Structures are given as C-alpha cells and as structure tokens.
Amino acid sequence: MTPGPDVAEDERFMRIALEEARLAAEVSDEVPIGAVVVVGGEVIARAHNQTRTETDPTAHAELIAVRAAAQALGSMRLVGATVYTTVEPCFMCAGALSHARVARVVWGVRDPKFGGCASLGEVLTDPRLNHQVEWSEGVCAEEARELLQSFFRSKRAAKAAEPRD
C-alpha cells in the first residue's frame, strides 16, 4: 500500500513505538516489538511485547495496546484509530485489529515468518471480511530492523557462549 497522508506524523508515532520496542528488549528481555494506538492525533495507548514476562503467547504489543485503547475509550471499536507497530502484525494481531475496526495500521518491517498482513496473508484487506484496514509499511524500517537483528544476534551469541556438556 501507499505511504500515509502525513509521513512526518507517521514517523513521529513510529518513534514512540520504537521506544516501546527498546523497552521490550532492554528491560524485559522480550522480542523488541512496540505498538502505539493513535486517535485524533493523540496517543491513546502504547505497549511492547510481553509474551515471556506474562508467559502468554497472546501478549503481543499490538494486542496489549488495543486492549488498553479500548479500555481508555470505553469501546471495543477503535473507529478512526491508527495503530503503529514496529513489525508487521501476525495473523492473530491482524484479526484483532480488524475486529476492533481500526482505520489504519502502519508498520516498520515485514515479518516473513509470521506476518499476516502482507507477507503470508492479507487479513487486513481480505474482501471477504466485513471490515478492511488501510495499511502502510516501511516507516522507520531500518531502525526497527536493526533492533530485531541486534536482539537476535545477542541471543545467538549468548547461546554459543554457553558451556557444552
């Protein structure tokens, strides 16, 4: 899809999502993915991955942020919301974003192994669904990619340094 209507605004909100991604890695030793929900130009919710911390495979940044936004707005529908996430949402998250009726999703990098919006599927724009979500990609992509690569590089190095029996 095409870039959003305001590239500077997309970058501003993606930088907040990147802050969340850094928190995930540095504070919680989580895969560095962050998400932000914006309505009317204001951040309503922000979150980062917590799957390891919460021992919950559904504790993805996008789902946590969507839950918090729904609570903040007092509505299960996030009509008019834009969700910024550092990595392409998986099928689970894409389904939740569609159910929440978000207007738009913006992500940094594609996820070739789990991405449910463009890489492995097209949940957000499937014409069989009763709601389609606009999307944009590539916002702050290099920074998002570097966070992920650095995190997994350090995990591999730590594993290689472990003593073997």
Side-chain angles (χ1 to χ4, degrees), residues 92-103:
M92 174 180 66
C93 292
L97 294 166
S98 179
H99 279 293
R101 305 296 194 267
V102 302

Side-chain angles (χ1 to χ4, degrees), residues 91-114:
F91 284 88
M92 174 180 66
C93 292
L97 294 166
S98 179
H99 279 293
R101 305 296 194 267
V102 302
R104 187 166 167 253
V105 176
V106 179
W107 68 79
V109 295
R110 285 195 182 196
D111 185 344
K113 294 183 179 181
F114 291 100

